[in-house]
Amino acid sequence: MAIQLVRYVMAIRNNFVYEDYKAEENIFALCESGSFYLDDTVQKSVVNPEEGAYFEKGKRYLRKANTPLKLHLFRFEADEKLIFKSHITFKNKDRIFSNLELLKRLNNDIYSENFEYKAHIFNDIVNLYKFENTNLSGEKIINDEIVSMAVKTLNQDFFRNVELTSFAEQYKISYVQFLRRFKVETGMTPFEYTARLKIKRAEYLLVNTDLAIKDISPVCGFENEYYFSNFFKKRKGCSPSKYRAEFSIM
């Protein structure tokens, strides 16, 4: 995923200009001092110093300062949807404190534009968040109990094409609510999550086994070889047989 910082500003506010706010661009706000209430229609929280908030383009938020604020605002573009939550916390407070100190120094620098350094700091913050919210196994840390159960089931039984409406029914929420919560936690829809599991299994079997493609298809949850081949080619840019051939000499 490529993330590009477009603009950075440091802002001091007694309150937000618009408390009821619809984001026109993707903005990450890192709080240096003060705190504010944030409601993204899914979760209500309070953003404190050395924490952040992600305002996703096109989404509406309610926000209100509890105390005077000093914020570092990063407007950015990404070639893929980020998996940020609206309220962003960090375990490594020292790292965030260090980045805030660097931003202070850069803001006092009148000899250069230093935008490149600010972009590096922003990427460091993004990578820290991603690292802290992913286990070394690649499994994302999920706090929502319903989504956690759904992800656990998918990881075990994705090839069976699990009917996910059962999770919504079990916990007495609408399927639309379930989809929204799943996307908030994982950054993708259940279909996309399942698709990635299938592709990962297919890649492993193509490279590390001699199974025929027609035998790999059902193991990865596809009805037949034709559907599997089309699905794989659309996502990887080549057929399963070509993918296998490219790695056969390794």
Side-chain angles (χ1 to χ4, degrees):
M1 177 195 298
I3 298 175
Q4 181 179 359
L5 182 64
V6 176
R7 185 166 289 108
Y8 160 85
V9 296
M10 188 272 288
I12 298 175
R13 298 280 188 272
N14 288 323
N15 208 339
F16 293 98
V17 177
Y18 300 105
E19 292 186 354
D20 187 354
Y21 170 67
K22 183 177 181 180
E24 296 182 356
E25 303 290 346
N26 290 316
I27 295 177
F28 170 75
L30 180 62
C31 183
E32 179 178 331
S33 61
S35 69
F36 64 93
Y37 168 83
L38 178 65
D39 181 356
D40 65 0
T41 72
V42 174
Q43 184 178 17
K44 299 177 178 65
S45 58
V46 175
V47 181
N48 296 302
E50 299 179 4
E51 298 178 351
Y54 170 42
F55 299 101
E56 182 183 345
K57 183 178 180 180
K59 287 189 65 175
R60 187 171 292 279
Y61 302 85
L62 180 63
R63 58 214 183 140
K64 186 174 183 178
N66 296 323
T67 58
L69 296 165
K70 186 173 184 179
L71 301 171
H72 298 268
L73 305 176
F74 303 85
R75 183 165 76 83
F76 66 93
E77 295 177 351
D79 60 5
E80 185 177 322
K81 184 178 175 64
L82 288 177
I83 56 173
F84 279 162
K85 293 183 179 180
S86 295
H87 180 198
I88 299 168
T89 60
F90 301 93
K91 299 180 181 70
N92 191 340
K93 296 288 188 180
D94 290 340
R95 183 70 164 265
I96 296 301
F97 178 80
S98 176
N99 279 326
L100 284 168
E101 289 298 307
L102 288 172
L103 287 170
K104 291 178 194 177
R105 290 173 56 189
L106 292 172
N107 285 334
N108 290 329
D109 177 16
I110 63 172
Y111 297 102
S112 66
E113 290 294 331
N114 61 52
F115 183 79
E116 180 182 355
Y117 296 111
K118 292 169 183 173
H120 281 305
I121 290 172
F122 176 59
N123 276 277
D124 184 73
I125 293 169
V126 171
N127 288 328
L128 175 62
Y129 177 82
K130 290 164 63 178
F131 179 80
E132 289 186 345
N133 286 274
T134 304
N135 293 329
L136 294 180
S137 65
E139 180 184 353
K140 192 173 183 299
I141 298 171
I142 294 174
N143 298 313
D144 188 306
E145 180 185 357
I146 298 175
V147 177
S148 178
M149 291 296 296
V151 165
K152 183 178 180 180
T153 300
L154 287 176
N155 289 344
Q156 295 173 344
D157 298 326
F158 67 88
F159 55 92
R160 303 183 195 279
N161 295 312
V162 178
E163 181 55 64
L164 291 172
T165 54
S166 60
F167 288 100
E169 294 169 358
Q170 179 181 348
Y171 288 93
K172 296 180 173 56
I173 62 173
S174 72
Y175 189 55
V176 172
Q177 286 179 305
F178 170 74
L179 292 176
R180 186 183 298 119
R181 289 167 67 164
F182 192 98
K183 194 165 187 179
V184 166
E185 289 287 339
T186 67
M188 63 190 88
T189 65
F191 175 81
E192 177 61 24
Y193 187 89
T194 304
R196 293 189 185 191
L197 290 173
K198 290 181 177 182
I199 288 295
K200 283 188 177 295
R201 170 69 66 85
E203 288 175 328
Y204 177 85
L205 294 175
L206 287 167
V207 173
N208 297 292
T209 74
D210 294 325
L211 283 173
I213 292 174
K214 66 180 179 63
D215 296 323
I216 291 176
S217 301
V219 174
C220 294
F222 296 94
E223 294 179 4
N224 55 61
E225 180 181 352
Y226 175 78
Y227 181 59
F228 167 56
S229 295
N230 284 343
F231 188 90
F232 190 92
K233 186 173 183 179
K234 183 177 180 180
R235 289 182 170 266
K236 303 302 296 185
C238 65
S239 66
S241 56
K242 184 176 181 180
Y243 184 89
R244 168 175 272 172
E246 287 177 353
F247 292 97
S248 61
I249 60 172
M250 300 296 287

PDB file of all heavy atoms in Angstrom, residues 108-124:
ATOM      1  N   ASN A 108       9.564  24.731  13.818  1.00  0.00           N
ATOM      2  CA  ASN A 108      10.351  25.920  14.158  1.00  0.00           C
ATOM      3  C   ASN A 108      11.451  26.198  13.144  1.00  0.00           C
ATOM      4  O   ASN A 108      12.154  27.208  13.257  1.00  0.00           O
ATOM      5  CB  ASN A 108      10.977  25.755  15.553  1.00  0.00           C
ATOM      6  CG  ASN A 108       9.945  25.806  16.651  1.00  0.00           C
ATOM      7  OD1 ASN A 108       8.932  26.487  16.525  1.00  0.00           O
ATOM      8  ND2 ASN A 108      10.179  25.068  17.732  1.00  0.00           N
ATOM      9  N   ASP A 109      11.598  25.307  12.185  1.00  0.00           N
ATOM     10  CA  ASP A 109      12.660  25.449  11.183  1.00  0.00           C
ATOM     11  C   ASP A 109      12.228  26.430  10.087  1.00  0.00           C
ATOM     12  O   ASP A 109      11.271  26.172   9.355  1.00  0.00           O
ATOM     13  CB  ASP A 109      12.960  24.077  10.573  1.00  0.00           C
ATOM     14  CG  ASP A 109      14.005  24.143   9.466  1.00  0.00           C
ATOM     15  OD1 ASP A 109      14.703  25.170   9.375  1.00  0.00           O
ATOM     16  OD2 ASP A 109      14.111  23.166   8.705  1.00  0.00           O
ATOM     17  N   ILE A 110      12.923  27.555   9.955  1.00  0.00           N
ATOM     18  CA  ILE A 110      12.577  28.557   8.937  1.00  0.00           C
ATOM     19  C   ILE A 110      13.524  28.494   7.744  1.00  0.00           C
ATOM     20  O   ILE A 110      13.412  29.281   6.800  1.00  0.00           O
ATOM     21  CB  ILE A 110      12.598  29.981   9.529  1.00  0.00           C
ATOM     22  CG1 ILE A 110      14.019  30.336   9.992  1.00  0.00           C
ATOM     23  CG2 ILE A 110      11.578  30.117  10.638  1.00  0.00           C
ATOM     24  CD1 ILE A 110      14.160  31.788  10.395  1.00  0.00           C
ATOM     25  N   TYR A 111      14.472  27.551   7.765  1.00  0.00           N
ATOM     26  CA  TYR A 111      15.487  27.495   6.726  1.00  0.00           C
ATOM     27  C   TYR A 111      15.143  26.542   5.592  1.00  0.00           C
ATOM     28  O   TYR A 111      15.785  26.549   4.554  1.00  0.00           O
ATOM     29  CB  TYR A 111      16.839  27.103   7.334  1.00  0.00           C
ATOM     30  CG  TYR A 111      17.340  28.127   8.323  1.00  0.00           C
ATOM     31  CD1 TYR A 111      17.222  27.911   9.690  1.00  0.00           C
ATOM     32  CD2 TYR A 111      17.898  29.329   7.888  1.00  0.00           C
ATOM     33  CE1 TYR A 111      17.654  28.847  10.600  1.00  0.00           C
ATOM     34  CE2 TYR A 111      18.343  30.277   8.795  1.00  0.00           C
ATOM     35  CZ  TYR A 111      18.221  30.033  10.148  1.00  0.00           C
ATOM     36  OH  TYR A 111      18.644  30.968  11.042  1.00  0.00           O
ATOM     37  N   SER A 112      14.131  25.691   5.807  1.00  0.00           N
ATOM     38  CA  SER A 112      13.746  24.754   4.742  1.00  0.00           C
ATOM     39  C   SER A 112      12.271  24.413   4.856  1.00  0.00           C
ATOM     40  O   SER A 112      11.655  24.615   5.901  1.00  0.00           O
ATOM     41  CB  SER A 112      14.580  23.468   4.825  1.00  0.00           C
ATOM     42  OG  SER A 112      14.287  22.764   6.004  1.00  0.00           O
ATOM     43  N   GLU A 113      11.726  23.884   3.795  1.00  0.00           N
ATOM     44  CA  GLU A 113      10.320  23.477   3.797  1.00  0.00           C
ATOM     45  C   GLU A 113      10.113  22.218   4.635  1.00  0.00           C
ATOM     46  O   GLU A 113       9.071  22.009   5.229  1.00  0.00           O
ATOM     47  CB  GLU A 113       9.835  23.223   2.363  1.00  0.00           C
ATOM     48  CG  GLU A 113       9.707  24.484   1.516  1.00  0.00           C
ATOM     49  CD  GLU A 113       8.602  25.402   2.036  1.00  0.00           C
ATOM     50  OE1 GLU A 113       7.631  24.894   2.628  1.00  0.00           O
ATOM     51  OE2 GLU A 113       8.742  26.620   1.865  1.00  0.00           O
ATOM     52  N   ASN A 114      11.119  21.361   4.665  1.00  0.00           N
ATOM     53  CA  ASN A 114      11.171  20.101   5.435  1.00  0.00           C
ATOM     54  C   ASN A 114       9.934  19.208   5.322  1.00  0.00           C
ATOM     55  O   ASN A 114       9.643  18.415   6.209  1.00  0.00           O
ATOM     56  CB  ASN A 114      11.514  20.353   6.908  1.00  0.00           C
ATOM     57  CG  ASN A 114      10.509  21.215   7.665  1.00  0.00           C
ATOM     58  OD1 ASN A 114       9.313  20.935   7.638  1.00  0.00           O
ATOM     59  ND2 ASN A 114      11.005  22.230   8.342  1.00  0.00           N
ATOM     60  N   PHE A 115       9.197  19.344   4.216  1.00  0.00           N
ATOM     61  CA  PHE A 115       7.983  18.540   4.038  1.00  0.00           C
ATOM     62  C   PHE A 115       8.320  17.048   3.972  1.00  0.00           C
ATOM     63  O   PHE A 115       7.570  16.204   4.478  1.00  0.00           O
ATOM     64  CB  PHE A 115       7.254  18.968   2.767  1.00  0.00           C
ATOM     65  CG  PHE A 115       5.958  18.247   2.522  1.00  0.00           C
ATOM     66  CD1 PHE A 115       4.797  18.604   3.196  1.00  0.00           C
ATOM     67  CD2 PHE A 115       5.891  17.178   1.643  1.00  0.00           C
ATOM     68  CE1 PHE A 115       3.597  17.939   2.985  1.00  0.00           C
ATOM     69  CE2 PHE A 115       4.703  16.495   1.427  1.00  0.00           C
ATOM     70  CZ  PHE A 115       3.557  16.884   2.104  1.00  0.00           C
ATOM     71  N   GLU A 116       9.456  16.740   3.358  1.00  0.00           N
ATOM     72  CA  GLU A 116       9.858  15.338   3.211  1.00  0.00           C
ATOM     73  C   GLU A 116      10.014  14.657   4.569  1.00  0.00           C
ATOM     74  O   GLU A 116       9.622  13.503   4.752  1.00  0.00           O
ATOM     75  CB  GLU A 116      11.178  15.256   2.440  1.00  0.00           C
ATOM     76  CG  GLU A 116      11.684  13.834   2.240  1.00  0.00           C
ATOM     77  CD  GLU A 116      13.015  13.796   1.526  1.00  0.00           C
ATOM     78  OE1 GLU A 116      13.490  14.872   1.096  1.00  0.00           O
ATOM     79  OE2 GLU A 116      13.578  12.693   1.395  1.00  0.00           O
ATOM     80  N   TYR A 117      10.566  15.389   5.543  1.00  0.00           N
ATOM     81  CA  TYR A 117      10.752  14.826   6.878  1.00  0.00           C
ATOM     82  C   TYR A 117       9.404  14.586   7.555  1.00  0.00           C
ATOM     83  O   TYR A 117       9.211  13.583   8.262  1.00  0.00           O
ATOM     84  CB  TYR A 117      11.609  15.755   7.728  1.00  0.00           C
ATOM     85  CG  TYR A 117      13.017  15.917   7.209  1.00  0.00           C
ATOM     86  CD1 TYR A 117      13.437  17.123   6.667  1.00  0.00           C
ATOM     87  CD2 TYR A 117      13.924  14.860   7.263  1.00  0.00           C
ATOM     88  CE1 TYR A 117      14.730  17.272   6.176  1.00  0.00           C
ATOM     89  CE2 TYR A 117      15.212  14.995   6.783  1.00  0.00           C
ATOM     90  CZ  TYR A 117      15.605  16.215   6.238  1.00  0.00           C
ATOM     91  OH  TYR A 117      16.879  16.355   5.762  1.00  0.00           O
ATOM     92  N   LYS A 118       8.464  15.516   7.351  1.00  0.00           N
ATOM     93  CA  LYS A 118       7.134  15.348   7.930  1.00  0.00           C
ATOM     94  C   LYS A 118       6.430  14.137   7.323  1.00  0.00           C
ATOM     95  O   LYS A 118       5.701  13.406   8.013  1.00  0.00           O
ATOM     96  CB  LYS A 118       6.312  16.616   7.733  1.00  0.00           C
ATOM     97  CG  LYS A 118       6.839  17.797   8.543  1.00  0.00           C
ATOM     98  CD  LYS A 118       6.203  19.098   8.141  1.00  0.00           C
ATOM     99  CE  LYS A 118       6.800  20.264   8.929  1.00  0.00           C
ATOM    100  NZ  LYS A 118       6.332  21.578   8.455  1.00  0.00           N
ATOM    101  N   ALA A 119       6.664  13.903   6.026  1.00  0.00           N
ATOM    102  CA  ALA A 119       6.088  12.732   5.367  1.00  0.00           C
ATOM    103  C   ALA A 119       6.669  11.445   5.958  1.00  0.00           C
ATOM    104  O   ALA A 119       5.954  10.452   6.161  1.00  0.00           O
ATOM    105  CB  ALA A 119       6.347  12.793   3.867  1.00  0.00           C
ATOM    106  N   HIS A 120       7.974  11.456   6.284  1.00  0.00           N
ATOM    107  CA  HIS A 120       8.603  10.285   6.905  1.00  0.00           C
ATOM    108  C   HIS A 120       8.004  10.025   8.282  1.00  0.00           C
ATOM    109  O   HIS A 120       7.765   8.873   8.658  1.00  0.00           O
ATOM    110  CB  HIS A 120      10.112  10.499   7.025  1.00  0.00           C
ATOM    111  CG  HIS A 120      10.865  10.274   5.747  1.00  0.00           C
ATOM    112  ND1 HIS A 120      10.795   9.099   5.020  1.00  0.00           N
ATOM    113  CD2 HIS A 120      11.714  11.075   5.056  1.00  0.00           C
ATOM    114  CE1 HIS A 120      11.550   9.182   3.941  1.00  0.00           C
ATOM    115  NE2 HIS A 120      12.119  10.379   3.943  1.00  0.00           N
ATOM    116  N   ILE A 121       7.776  11.087   9.037  1.00  0.00           N
ATOM    117  CA  ILE A 121       7.187  10.941  10.368  1.00  0.00           C
ATOM    118  C   ILE A 121       5.786  10.358  10.261  1.00  0.00           C
ATOM    119  O   ILE A 121       5.412   9.460  11.021  1.00  0.00           O
ATOM    120  CB  ILE A 121       7.158  12.300  11.092  1.00  0.00           C
ATOM    121  CG1 ILE A 121       8.576  12.727  11.451  1.00  0.00           C
ATOM    122  CG2 ILE A 121       6.288  12.228  12.355  1.00  0.00           C
ATOM    123  CD1 ILE A 121       8.674  14.133  11.996  1.00  0.00           C
ATOM    124  N   PHE A 122       4.998  10.857   9.303  1.00  0.00           N
ATOM    125  CA  PHE A 122       3.642  10.343   9.128  1.00  0.00           C
ATOM    126  C   PHE A 122       3.667   8.856   8.777  1.00  0.00           C
ATOM    127  O   PHE A 122       2.903   8.057   9.341  1.00  0.00           O
ATOM    128  CB  PHE A 122       2.918  11.125   8.041  1.00  0.00           C
ATOM    129  CG  PHE A 122       1.539  10.598   7.722  1.00  0.00           C
ATOM    130  CD1 PHE A 122       0.563  10.525   8.698  1.00  0.00           C
ATOM    131  CD2 PHE A 122       1.236  10.156   6.442  1.00  0.00           C
ATOM    132  CE1 PHE A 122      -0.696  10.028   8.418  1.00  0.00           C
ATOM    133  CE2 PHE A 122      -0.021   9.658   6.150  1.00  0.00           C
ATOM    134  CZ  PHE A 122      -0.990   9.595   7.139  1.00  0.00           C
ATOM    135  N   ASN A 123       4.555   8.459   7.881  1.00  0.00           N
ATOM    136  CA  ASN A 123       4.652   7.049   7.504  1.00  0.00           C
ATOM    137  C   ASN A 123       5.106   6.195   8.681  1.00  0.00           C
ATOM    138  O   ASN A 123       4.667   5.052   8.834  1.00  0.00           O
ATOM    139  CB  ASN A 123       5.608   6.876   6.324  1.00  0.00           C
ATOM    140  CG  ASN A 123       4.935   7.112   4.991  1.00  0.00           C
ATOM    141  OD1 ASN A 123       4.295   6.224   4.446  1.00  0.00           O
ATOM    142  ND2 ASN A 123       5.060   8.311   4.462  1.00  0.00           N
ATOM    143  N   ASP A 124       5.963   6.749   9.528  1.00  0.00           N
ATOM    144  CA  ASP A 124       6.395   6.026  10.721  1.00  0.00           C
ATOM    145  C   ASP A 124       5.219   5.783  11.657  1.00  0.00           C
ATOM    146  O   ASP A 124       5.064   4.689  12.218  1.00  0.00           O
ATOM    147  CB  ASP A 124       7.482   6.823  11.449  1.00  0.00           C
ATOM    148  CG  ASP A 124       8.029   6.065  12.651  1.00  0.00           C
ATOM    149  OD1 ASP A 124       8.774   5.091  12.443  1.00  0.00           O
ATOM    150  OD2 ASP A 124       7.696   6.441  13.792  1.00  0.00           O
TER     151      ASP A 124
END
